[in-house]
Amino acid sequence: MEIRQLRHFVAVVTEGSFTAAARAELIVRSALSTSVRNLERELGADLFDRTGRRVVLTEAGRALLPQARALPAGARSARDAVAAVAGLHTGRVSIGTIQTLTCVDLPGELAAFHQEFPAVRVSVRDATVDELAEALRAGELDLAYLAPDARELPEGLTVHAVRHEELVLITAPGHRLARAGRALIRDLAEEPFVDFRAGTGLETAVRRLAAHCGLRRRITCDVTQAGLLVELVRAGIGVAFVPRPIGERAGLPCVTVRQPDPGRTMVPAGRGPRPRNPAAAALLGHLTRGRADLTDAGSSAG
């Protein structure tokens, strides 16, 4: 049983299909399928139920998954140690983010990091806050931007910095609130809202804001994609709370809301005070270097 086979098995589970897993592993689908088949033959059990379109683990697959995730992680640690000695001439780092991250220009930061460490491969995952936190704890991600709001981070995760994002209300052009440019929470009582699906970081922040202010929102549509939310607002289906840069980039009216000022907290987080992966430590240093708006750096949950 080879670590490469276990990595291919985990990739199928993580990506949700053999095709997507092959793309992530940078090999052809047939080679990845053969690798998994050889692993099943060696173990003497089917790991996936292939009777339907969806990838479904068998009982044997579910039993293997925790160990399969742990073994490649150990191998990566060994490669990372070599990469550190070699001065990061090679290596990999994985970072998670939410769709609506605006407190940092992540593409720009990653481009600058790539210029400094061109041989380090960066993997970026877009998911919900809970999924990112779980992936951090499982060792699938080195770093992630989370929006914990009033919640404590899961035990074992460390906050490396704290940032604040301003939230504004976006509306369709010509909306009555757009003309005013500012509003109070109570002015929104009769407005229909477009919102993210429950469980996303922005939805949680807005729901807590509404509960704190006694605002009972009428949700007319909920979505999973930021681009679709913006276009639904533009079409006049409802209004929505988003970080200001999202509204400004979309060219939609951004209404400043007062009493209280809506906002949310964003934190880059990882496991432990300093990443063990040298590439992750270098990326974290790059993301937090010289940032005047950082506070509580290095605080740990649990």
Side-chain angles (χ1 to χ4, degrees), residues 10-259:
V10 172
V12 174
V13 177
T14 301
E15 300 296 333
S17 73
F18 281 76
T19 300
R23 190 181 306 118
E25 290 296 310
L26 302 178
I27 61 175
V28 297
R29 187 187 187 284
S30 59
L32 184 132
S33 296
T34 299
S35 176
V36 174
R37 283 290 190 191
N38 289 340
L39 177 62
E40 291 176 317
R41 190 176 300 112
E42 185 174 346
L43 293 174
D46 289 337
L47 301 175
F48 297 102
D49 182 353
R50 295 175 172 84
T51 57
R53 290 187 175 182
R54 295 177 61 250
V55 170
V56 179
L57 283 170
T58 62
E59 286 298 320
R62 281 191 284 271
L64 175 64
L65 186 57
Q67 286 75 20
R69 281 174 166 160
L71 287 174
R76 283 197 302 271
S77 296
R79 288 196 299 269
D80 291 336
V82 174
V85 173
L88 286 175
H89 296 309
T90 185
R92 298 179 62 155
V93 56
S94 56
I95 184 169
T97 182
I98 58 175
Q99 286 185 54
T100 55
L101 178 71
T102 62
C103 64
V104 61
D105 176 13
L106 189 58
E109 295 287 1
L110 293 181
F113 178 78
H114 174 68
Q115 287 185 340
E116 188 174 356
F117 302 104
V120 174
R121 178 175 171 179
V122 180
S123 176
V124 183
R125 183 186 300 187
D126 171 4
T128 67
V129 170
D130 289 341
E131 289 169 342
L132 293 176
E134 184 56 36
L136 268 180
R137 295 187 67 192
E140 298 170 12
L141 291 174
D142 296 300
L143 303 166
Y145 278 95
L146 306 179
D149 295 307
R151 297 174 298 175
E152 291 186 1
L153 289 182
E155 184 178 358
L157 298 187
T158 298
V159 172
H160 294 294
V162 177
R163 290 195 176 106
H164 183 78
E165 287 188 328
E166 178 194 8
L167 299 182
V168 297
L169 190 80
I170 57 173
T171 73
H175 189 281
R176 66 177 183 86
L177 293 174
R179 291 189 292 271
R182 58 182 61 245
L184 301 177
I185 289 289
R186 65 170 181 263
D187 298 332
L188 311 180
E190 303 302 322
E191 291 293 330
F193 275 81
V194 181
D195 203 359
F196 280 99
R197 194 71 47 83
T200 60
L202 185 55
E203 184 274 338
T204 301
V206 174
R207 174 161 40 85
R208 288 182 172 170
L209 169 69
H212 175 72
C213 299
L215 173 64
R216 299 186 62 179
R217 292 180 303 149
R218 177 165 58 92
I219 309 297
T220 57
C221 190
D222 61 84
V223 300
T224 58
Q225 294 294 322
L228 180 56
L229 179 141
V230 166
E231 292 309 313
L232 288 170
V233 171
R234 191 190 308 277
I237 292 179
V239 300
F241 278 106
V242 297
R244 180 179 286 278
I246 291 180
E248 291 177 344
R249 286 197 296 264
L252 289 176
C254 296
V255 180
T256 301
V257 178
R258 300 299 186 198
Q259 297 182 349

